[in-house]
Structures are given as C-alpha cells and as structure tokens.
Amino acid sequence: LKTTPACTRDGTAIELHANIELPSDLADVYENGATGIGLFRSEFLFLNRDILPDEEEQFVAYRKVAEGMKGLPVTIRTFDLGADKQLNGVQRVASNPALGLRAIRLCLVEPQLFFTQLRALLRASHYGNVKILIPMLSGMSEINQTLQFITNAKQSLDDEGIPYNREIKIGGMIEIPAAALMMDVFIGKLDFLSIGTNDLIQYTLAIDRTDEEVAHLYDPLHPAVLYLLAHIIGKANDAGVPISVCGEMAGHDEYTRLLLGLGLRQFSMNSAQLLCVKQRVLTTNLPGIVTLMQKILRANDPLEIRDLMNKLNAV
C-alpha cells in the first residue's frame, strides 16, 4: 500500500502529501509514502523557547526538509502565530484570539520578523522544490502587501548575491469565508491555493471548536460548508489553479470520497493518516459516485446528508 500510486479505480491520479511541524517529522513522511509535504507548519520553530530563531536557524531547518524530500514538493506556511499558538513573552490580551492579530495579520505588523522568515524560505528554495504558503489571507490588500514583502526579500538576496529559486510558487490559504467569496482575486494573484478546513468551518459556522459548550456544533457536513467547499474547489479547477485541502478533513477517510467528488485531487494530512486515505482512494470509482454527490450538494437536512454519506462510503 505504501508504494502503490494513489489512483482511483477509473484511473484518476491523486496526490497524497503530509503535514509536518518540524524537520524531525521527515521519518514519518518517508515511512508512509507521501509524495510531498503539503503543509510545513513553520510556527512550531518559534514555540517553547526564549529566543526566536534567526534567519540562519530557520534556513537550516527549511533546507533540511527541502533536501530530504529529494525534489518532491515542500509547501512551507509562513508562521501562523497569535491565536492558540503564542510566542513566549509576546502574549497579547484578546477576547477572541481566533479573530484577532494572528497569521498574516501578525506578520504585517511585525515586518522584521516576517522579512527574516521570507529570506530564510527563499534561500532554502535553492535546495529543493519549495513553495511558500500564506495563512489567513482575506483580500487583495493583504495579498499585495505580502507579495511586496517577498519582492523586497528577493531584492535583498540579489544585492548579496545569495541564490534562490526565482520562480518560487506563492500560495494562499482559503480559511476565511471572505477569501472563499473572493476566489477570483486569489486565483488571479497566487500560484496555488490550500483550503484550511479547520478554520473555514469554524468561521463559517461562528463556532469556537475549542469551546466545549459549542464544539458539538462544529460540523464539516453542514450544507453551508459543503457549498463553500464545492465553490472553492470548482473555481480553482475551472481556472487551472492547483488546490489542496490541508485541514483535518483531508486526513479522515470518511470524507475522502466526498472531497474527490467535489473535484479535489490533492490532499495533505498527518503522515499516520496517509495509508487509510490512500486505501479509500484506491477503492473509489469517480463516475460511480456522481449521482450521490449531486444529491449530497442538494440536501439541506443534516440527517439526509449523513445517510447519503453512508451510502457514498458503502459504494
């Protein structure tokens, strides 16, 4: 199973990538046969320490992963700090941190921190197939500011004669409903997209998934969530822009056929989940699930959707 290519019964090739937190996770990536890294959560390099990693330390970590994947794609997300993951000594008081200064918002108000990371990422791109992923973008202004930062970082490396991949791909996370509704802007500005289902569901349903009193309402199969996913994936596919899911939905095999039916062809998940998802991919015949998928997308009753999902996974 590990070495078998991920391909549906009707011959559609599927990319199964791994999510990692630190370079030490590479062993699990190899063990489970991932064909790339779809999400390197770089913020874990910054946590549980008194001194922030400088450019050289970050470069070494990113380079190790890039070289270790031997030409396979490595998508590194710029640090997503400020919500449930705080820097030591930089605690901010916020009534709802998930809606506060986090991810790209924090990067843009901490320009030196962001610039340092971008230089390290660009330097590492010389040693492998590195892509840069920007979290929590909501619109054109943040995209333009981010792209300008990257341009400035490239210029600084040019001035010093430091090599990097001049054609490096820049992508954005779709995890805010505003981003989903502005897909045309994202498609026009970025090279690839990745859906963060954890936050997309949380923000769409206005549910704090860490709050025990409402966590039971967090539902990946809510009709509004399914509508958004169909819209996002459909828009990207129509435009020929690569799109993946790197949130928890990608790693649960009960959702594999649903996502395949929506048009998804690239998944990224915890390495330990790869083989279960691959097994579901190998047993899926895409033409055979079209009718059920149409019924699921038309359904509004949660019980009906659950029943249809059971039938989808029983095919």
Side-chain angles (χ1 to χ4, degrees):
L1 187 58
K2 171 185 170 181
T3 57
T4 300
C7 187
T8 61
R9 287 170 55 194
D10 55 287
T12 302
I14 307 299
E15 290 291 327
L16 298 182
H17 294 178
N19 295 344
I20 69 169
E21 297 173 357
L22 294 167
S24 56
D25 294 335
L26 279 179
D28 290 332
V29 175
Y30 304 144
E31 179 64 27
N32 290 283
T35 55
I37 290 174
L39 178 64
F40 180 170
R41 297 184 175 98
S42 67
E43 59 270 15
F44 283 87
L45 296 173
F46 293 74
L47 300 176
N48 303 315
R49 53 188 299 162
D50 296 323
I51 300 175
L52 296 181
D54 60 14
E55 179 182 322
E56 193 64 24
E57 181 181 341
Q58 291 187 61
F59 163 65
V60 169
Y62 305 146
R63 176 178 174 175
K64 180 176 181 180
V65 174
E67 290 181 330
M69 291 305 292
K70 301 176 182 177
L72 292 175
V74 175
T75 300
I76 305 176
R77 185 177 67 187
T78 56
F79 59 80
D80 185 359
L81 296 164
D84 55 337
K85 296 183 281 290
Q86 296 281 355
L87 292 173
N88 282 355
V90 194
Q91 297 289 336
R92 289 182 168 88
V93 177
S95 57
N96 192 334
L99 300 178
L101 188 64
R102 57 169 291 200
I104 190 59
R105 301 171 182 177
L106 178 60
C107 290
L108 294 177
V109 300
E110 295 285 356
Q112 192 54 54
L113 201 60
F114 192 31
F115 189 73
T116 296
Q117 181 174 40
L118 290 175
R119 277 180 52 99
L121 289 168
L122 288 169
R123 288 172 60 192
S125 71
H126 182 64
Y127 300 92
N129 186 5
V130 172
K131 303 175 184 181
I132 297 175
L133 180 62
I134 310 299
M136 209 180 171
L137 291 166
S138 63
M140 185 178 290
S141 175
E142 289 170 342
I143 294 174
N144 288 339
Q145 290 180 73
T146 297
L147 294 178
Q148 186 59 55
F149 263 96
I150 294 170
T151 297
N152 294 345
K154 287 180 175 180
Q155 184 60 57
S156 73
L157 294 178
D158 286 337
D159 292 344
E160 298 174 29
I162 298 175
Y164 62 90
N165 177 14
R166 296 179 179 276
E167 305 301 321
I168 189 170
K169 303 297 185 184
I170 309 300
M173 295 280 293
I174 304 294
E175 48 195 337
I176 298 176
L181 295 171
M182 297 187 67
M183 280 292 290
D184 290 339
V185 169
F186 280 65
I187 286 167
K189 290 278 188 179
L190 298 165
D191 299 310
F192 67 96
L193 301 169
S194 186
I195 306 172
T197 51
N198 302 2
D199 274 334
L200 182 64
I201 296 166
Q202 172 173 253
Y203 294 139
T204 299
L205 301 181
I207 290 166
D208 182 352
R209 55 197 172 95
T210 66
D211 185 334
E212 292 181 2
E213 295 191 20
V214 295
H216 66 284
L217 299 173
Y218 178 90
D219 182 11
L221 297 179
H222 190 289
V225 173
L226 297 182
Y227 173 82
L228 273 184
L229 290 174
H231 169 75
I232 296 164
I233 296 169
K235 278 279 192 179
N237 287 344
D238 288 346
V241 173
I243 187 158
S244 67
V245 168
C246 63
E248 289 182 11
M249 280 188 77
H252 288 276
D253 62 347
E254 65 183 295
Y255 302 128
T256 301
R257 286 184 179 161
L258 173 72
L259 293 171
L260 289 170
L262 292 175
L264 190 73
R265 300 294 179 262
Q266 182 177 315
F267 297 64
S268 191
M269 66 205 76
N270 184 291
S271 297
Q273 299 164 325
L274 267 159
L275 296 181
C276 287
V277 170
K278 183 186 280 190
Q279 184 67 51
R280 188 57 62 96
V281 168
L282 294 172
T283 58
T284 298
N285 179 43
L286 290 176
I289 66 173
V290 170
T291 300
L292 274 172
M293 282 302 307
Q294 291 172 343
K295 289 181 179 179
I296 289 170
L297 290 176
R298 288 196 301 265
N300 293 314
D301 181 353
L303 293 178
E304 181 184 359
I305 292 174
R306 293 284 175 181
D307 180 59
L308 290 168
M309 283 292 297
N310 289 335
K311 292 178 180 178
L312 180 71
N313 288 324
V315 171

